């Protein structure tokens, strides 16, 4: 078991800065998710931890050991690749035992570990098969098995579920979590899927263009995104944003979009609110923080419904309030009908405000 | 149901075609015929089949006949003599030497080519400055006409002007002017032949191996590194088995080719000194064409045919098993 610590890691490919001053500490037994849009440097970061790529500068520690110059095989890590990277000419047993044999693990122990892993992953009937005789989901399990039997200090996983169909992905996600609860190996998990990140991570590191945007628990990321990017990235459908100016209206500090005025949330109060006066901001409110009016508070608006998407347990409506459009998740019983007006209430106490220029969250 | 419908429509179509054909001009009829996949397909492979029949099958049949007849250049259709030619060949000391040489030549060339080819392939796959230049240089022996290359080698190995000996002497391996006579002494001549043959075929081997190695997904090799495999283990346990089918084809091709090749021997020594460096192909050429004993020459040429055939079939079967499983 081990921590992993990255200190001021840079990685340049020619002119491209793939990873830019990344500092990150992954705790012992933690399941840390590295998430961000395509090309933001997740894989590169993971490969540097693995030793498959050498950082341009910065230090990487695994446990207390500085591993900058330690070759991949001596870092005591196991990696699950996006395309599985199974050895095509070996059957499943050989795929699993390859690494163990190289480390001269005794035969009985190899057998025990393979049996354990195979049972845990439900691949015990596939042990004699070659990778090409397996389905995508089965291959994925074998790839996981190959990592598990090694009993490494750290698991590194690069989008291991991305090649699975939606249903299998959800199931394997749960299996992976169960597995982690059992073996408790420190894990760095890369994905570009925010749902995967939210459901799996003890903590989540959000990256963009090689830069770490925020490192927090799923709850923390959702409740207080550090900037506009994180706010828009986490949550589905994404947070609604309106541009506006902070103004004093009738003794209350409001964000004024020109046609609509909404009050600042309590997190932007006192000094921060005063400092924000007159500034250009982006006001953000999540679709789930908008309800049909039912007399239980919230900021009332009258919205015209433009689109209704019926999802069974909820409807997602595109609503328009005097030219400002946003998405809301409503109860199917809210009675939203296309073209009609509907009184909505915005839970502005859960809204977010960002500086329009720096895109950082404003709070006080 | 669908079956029935299809066959009904088939019948409808064929009768329609038959009716249409009756009214077609000859030119249109040929056009229609070419539309037919079976006709067009056979037409397309016809040149290849003709090629095999005329340029491979016919000479082969003639050679077979020569083997069991007393054919000479002056009298190609000689009388049937059964296994006399073969018996003569088996009693010929030079032939026996040539037979041994053929195996030594082929097997050592192949071995050296494989070892150096692999090393060269890894060198070519590395990223370094001037890689393109090195690649071009490596390909050079392949692009130089072999006769020109052989002449250059003859000069380099010449007893008086030998560059090789001069370099060797400078490095202190042999005394000045006292180095080996590369093409004039039996052992050295054989070594020279093998070296030049390797020089000529190395690019092919290296390129085939390079192609094979670079077709292996990088992640598989990375996974092996993380599993604890050093480069030798990666090569032996991962890369070599994965590219084995490619190596097999190349090896098969190269073996059969080298077994029947006389180019380098002919260009360097013509079998000298005292017929000690002949391979079967060159000795068969001398016997059959230069000395005019077509029957004996053919017997020599075909001597290894059964062995090569069995070898080729075995390799092909192995290859099939590998690609299928
Ligand atoms: N070997 C390389 N040579 C040059 N540029 C590279 C190399 N590997 C990655 N990059 C660049 O570095 C940046 C980060 O790439 P990386 O693969 O880490 O992204 P990622 O976050 O894993 O994206 P994805 O979600 O698409 O896998 C990209 O701009 C990419 O083009
Ligand atoms: Mg990636």
């Amino acid at each position: 078991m081990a921590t992993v610590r990255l200190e001021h890691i840079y990685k340049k490919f020619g002119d491209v800065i793939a990873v830019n001053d990344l500092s990150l500490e992954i705790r012992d037994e933690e399941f840390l998710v590295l998430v961000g849009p395509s090309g933001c440097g997740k894989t590169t970061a993971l490969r540097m931890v693995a030793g498959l790529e050498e950082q341009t500068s910065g230090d990487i520690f695994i446990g207390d050991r500085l591993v900058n110059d330690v070759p991949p095989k001596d870092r005591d890590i196991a990696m699950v690749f996006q395309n599985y990277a199974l050895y095509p000419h070996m059957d499943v047993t050989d795929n699993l035992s390859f690494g163990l044999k190289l480390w001269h693990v005794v035969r009985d122990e190899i057998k025990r570990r393979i049996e354990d892993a195979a049972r845990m992953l439900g691949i015990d009937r596939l042990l004699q098969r070659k990778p090409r005789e397996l389905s995508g989901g089965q291959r994925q399990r074998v790839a996981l098995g190959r990592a598990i039997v090694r009993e490494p200090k750290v698991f590194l996983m690069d989008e291991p579920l991305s090649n699975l169909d939606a249903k299998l992905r959800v199931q394997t996600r749960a299996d992976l979590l169960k597995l982690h609860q059992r073996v408790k190996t420190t894990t760095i998990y890369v994905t570009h899927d925010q749902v995967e990140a939210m459901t799996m991570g003890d903590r989540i590191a959000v990256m963009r263009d090689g830069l770490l945007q925020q490192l927090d628990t799923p709850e923390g990321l959702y409740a207080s995104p550090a900037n506009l990017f994180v706010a828009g990235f986490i949550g589905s459908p994404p947070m609604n944003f309106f541009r506006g100016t902070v103004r004093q209206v009738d003794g209350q500090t409001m964000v004024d979009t020109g046609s609509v005025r909404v009050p600042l949330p309590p997190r932007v109060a006192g000094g921060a609110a005063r400092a924000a006066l007159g500034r250009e901001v982006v006001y953000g409110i999540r679709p789930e923080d908008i309800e049909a009016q039912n007399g239980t508070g919230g900021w009332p608006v009258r919205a015209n419904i433009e689109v209704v998407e019926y999802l069974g347990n909820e409807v997602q409506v595109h609503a328009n309030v005097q030219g400002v459009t946003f998405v809301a998740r409503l109860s199917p019983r809210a009675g939203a009908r296309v073209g009609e007006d509907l009184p909505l209430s915005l839970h502005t106490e859960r809204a977010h405000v960002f500086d329009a220029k720096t895109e950082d969250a404003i709070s006080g | 149901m669908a079956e029935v419908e299809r066959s009904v429509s088939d019948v409808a179509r064929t009768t329609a075609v038959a009716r249409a054909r009756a009214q077609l001009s000859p030119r249109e009829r040929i056009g229609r015929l070419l539309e037919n996949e079976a006709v067009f397909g056979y037409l397309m492979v016809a040149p290849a089949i003709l090629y095999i029949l005329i340029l491979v099958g016919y000479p082969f049949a003639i050679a077979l006949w020569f083997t069991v007849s007393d054919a000479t250049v002056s009298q190609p259709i000689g009388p049937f003599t059964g296994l006399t030619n073969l018996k003569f060949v088996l009693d010929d000391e030079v032939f026996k030497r040539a037979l041994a040489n053929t195996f030594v030549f082929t097997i050592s060339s192949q071995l050296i080519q494989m070892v150096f080819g692999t090393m060269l392939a890894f060198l070519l796959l590395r990223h370094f400055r001037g890689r393109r230049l090195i690649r071009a240089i490596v390909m050079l022996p392949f692009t130089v006409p072999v006769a020109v290359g052989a002449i250059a080698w003859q000069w380099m190995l010449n007893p008086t002007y030998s560059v090789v000996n001069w370099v060797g002497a400078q490095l202190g391996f042999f005394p000045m002017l006292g180095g080996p006579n590369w093409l004039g002494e039996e052992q050295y001549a054989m070594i020279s032949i093998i070296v030049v043959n390797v020089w000529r075929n190395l690019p092919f081997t290296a390129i085939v191996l390079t192609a094979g190695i670079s077709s292996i997904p990088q992640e598989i090799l990375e996974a092996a590194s993380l599993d604890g495999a050093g480069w030798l283990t990666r090569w032996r346990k991962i890369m070599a088995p994965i590219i084995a089918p490619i190596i097999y084809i190349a090896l098969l091709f190269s073996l059969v080719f080298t077994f029947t090749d006389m180019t380098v021997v002919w260009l360097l020594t013509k079998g000298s000194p005292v017929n000690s460096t002949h391979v079967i192909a060159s000795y068969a050429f001398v016997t059959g064409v230069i000395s005019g004993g077509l029957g004996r020459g053919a017997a020599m040429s075909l001597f290894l045919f059964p062995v090569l055939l069995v070898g080729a079939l075995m390799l092909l079967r192995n290859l099939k098993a590998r690609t299928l499983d």
Side-chain angles (χ1 to χ4, degrees), chain A residues 42-44 82 158-159 190:
Chain A
K42 310 177 293 285
T43 298
T44 307
Q82 179 171 353
D158 192 0
E159 311 209 18
V190 163

Side-chain angles (χ1 to χ4, degrees), chain A residues 47 50 52 72-73 77-79 81 83 85-90 95 98-99 102-103 130 132 146 150, chain B residues 217-230 233-234 237-239 241-242 322-325:
Chain A
R47 289 170 58 83
L52 297 172
K73 74 183 175 79
I77 46 150
M79 183 153 169
F81 292 81
N83 54 10
L86 298 176
Y87 309 127
H89 56 297
M90 297 184 191
N95 263 283
F98 182 72
L102 290 178
W103 286 108
K130 294 266 176 71
R132 72 171 142 276
R146 186 170 64 182
R150 290 267 316 280
Chain B
Q218 194 60 30
E219 283 88 357
I220 289 180
L221 301 175
E222 291 174 346
S225 312
L226 290 173
D227 259 348
T233 315
R234 285 205 296 279
K237 295 281 171 67
I238 310 285
M239 301 164 105
I242 292 179
R322 265 165 192 281
T323 43
L324 286 186
D325 110 295

